[in-house]
Amino acid sequence: MAVLLIGEVTDGALSVDATAKAVSAVKSLGDVTVLCAGANASVAAAEAAKIDGVKAVLCAEDASLGHRLAEPTAALIVSLAGDYTHIAAPGTTDAKNVMPRVAALLDVMVISEVTGVVDADTFERPIYAGNAIQTVKSTDAKKVMTIRTAGFEAAGMGGSASVSNTAAAADPALSEWVADKVASSDRPELTSAGVVVSGGRGVGSEADFKLIEGLADKLSAAVGASRAAVDSGYAPNDWQVGQTGKVVAPDLYVAVGISGAIQHLAGMKDSKIIVAINKDEEAPIFQVADFGLVADLFDAVPELTSKL
């Protein structure tokens, strides 16, 4: 058996954390080959070659792969699929766009958000907002899946895999890149941060969300938000944590003014330590918190920030 793992490449750089965790998830299935694709992917390919457990790296560089469009990327993966029994990717936004297309082109099912590998045909994944674990057994000749990386430790960086070039597939030209709007930040990336501070509807306004950002800056943390806070316009979409947002599992998760709806818990309950600050002592967030503070966040957060 052999595994083709899609490396997470953005603007020529490899997301080492996401890719290394995905390697840990799939290395028991066979020899792992990492595919790095983009307009400029050689640096990412060289970085992927250093990950322990990677046997080989394929580098595909082409202008059609440069703007993270799903169709040319899916066509490339399908063109390479013949040599592999398993095709996997970290469960990122890009993978959720690409992998279902790959599965459709191969006429197989897609197994999403894998959290456990039982054997070559059997996998575990959360359902019902993480309240149950479903065991999925597939008889497809090729298994196409995304990996929920939050539950896996990253592989080490002592490898020395071979790197070879591969040609891009013909571009289906079903979509085109128009423009990128990129928000820049000095804070850690949300899904790979060791510390996350999140705010909810209780923060009250976009202006008051500066309290959350101030605490995050003191902790060198990423900033997150509940869906209620995002929908209310307090925080941008890419900060959303939860079932319909990003799944995180940091060493420390601080939930401020978040009640703890089941959809939010699905995105953060695997955090190592959870701290909750909420003035409602009956808030569901306290049921999963390791430390809870029943207090008004407008008193507690400034005091905590000043003492830090």
Side-chain angles (χ1 to χ4, degrees):
M1 294 184 294
V3 181
L4 179 64
L5 176 65
I6 316 307
E8 179 70 8
V9 179
T10 304
D11 297 331
L14 180 73
S15 174
V16 176
D17 183 72
T19 307
K21 287 179 177 178
V23 170
S24 293
V26 301
K27 64 183 180 182
S28 64
L29 297 172
D31 292 337
V32 178
T33 297
V34 175
L35 171 63
C36 292
N40 299 290
S42 57
V43 173
E47 195 70 14
K50 300 176 185 177
I51 300 174
D52 288 336
V54 175
K55 182 176 182 181
V57 177
L58 295 176
C59 178
E61 291 190 324
D62 191 86
S64 66
L65 303 169
H67 295 294
R68 305 164 77 179
L69 298 179
E71 294 87 358
T73 304
L76 169 64
I77 295 168
V78 171
S79 73
L80 299 170
D83 296 331
Y84 303 96
T85 55
H86 297 76
I87 302 172
T92 61
T93 303
D94 283 349
K96 291 174 183 178
N97 194 16
V98 171
M99 298 306 277
R101 298 172 190 272
V102 172
L105 290 168
L106 294 174
D107 195 24
V108 299
M109 69 184 293
V110 62
I111 307 170
S112 60
E113 298 290 303
V114 169
T115 56
V117 176
V118 179
D119 58 39
D121 300 320
T122 313
F123 310 91
E124 295 177 345
R125 61 183 297 272
I127 58 173
Y128 303 132
N131 282 292
I133 300 299
Q134 180 184 56
T135 302
V136 180
K137 185 167 185 176
S138 171
T139 58
D140 289 331
K142 294 186 185 298
K143 314 299 190 291
V144 176
M145 55 191 180
T146 62
I147 307 297
R148 180 175 284 196
T149 56
F152 297 95
E153 294 294 329
M157 295 299 292
S160 56
S162 61
V163 179
S164 57
N165 294 323
T166 187
D171 185 356
L174 296 173
S175 63
E176 64 178 6
W177 172 78
V178 177
D180 283 336
K181 294 183 179 179
V182 181
S184 60
S185 174
D186 294 331
R187 298 190 182 98
E189 201 279 322
L190 183 56
T191 55
S192 60
V195 181
V196 174
V197 180
S198 283
R201 196 202 311 267
V203 177
S205 70
E206 182 179 6
D208 287 332
F209 223 84
K210 297 296 182 185
L211 290 173
I212 306 300
E213 296 179 58
L215 177 56
D217 290 341
K218 283 285 187 178
L219 294 169
S220 299
V223 179
S226 68
R227 178 169 181 169
V230 171
D231 287 349
S232 299
Y234 304 165
N237 289 334
D238 59 345
W239 289 3
Q240 184 175 324
V241 173
Q243 186 177 17
T244 54
K246 294 180 178 178
V247 177
V248 301
D251 295 326
L252 172 63
Y253 187 89
V254 183
V256 181
I258 295 175
S259 63
I262 188 172
Q263 291 85 357
H264 185 76
L265 299 183
M268 46 65 72
K269 66 181 182 181
D270 290 331
S271 304
K272 307 299 186 293
I273 296 175
I274 300 172
V275 175
I277 301 174
N278 199 300
K279 65 181 180 181
D280 178 9
E281 64 183 26
E282 301 297 329
I285 191 71
F286 289 124
Q287 296 177 14
V288 299
D290 298 286
F291 300 93
L293 175 62
V294 179
D296 189 322
L297 69 90
F298 295 103
D299 296 327
V301 173
E303 182 178 0
L304 178 58
T305 302
S306 66
K307 288 184 176 178
L308 286 168

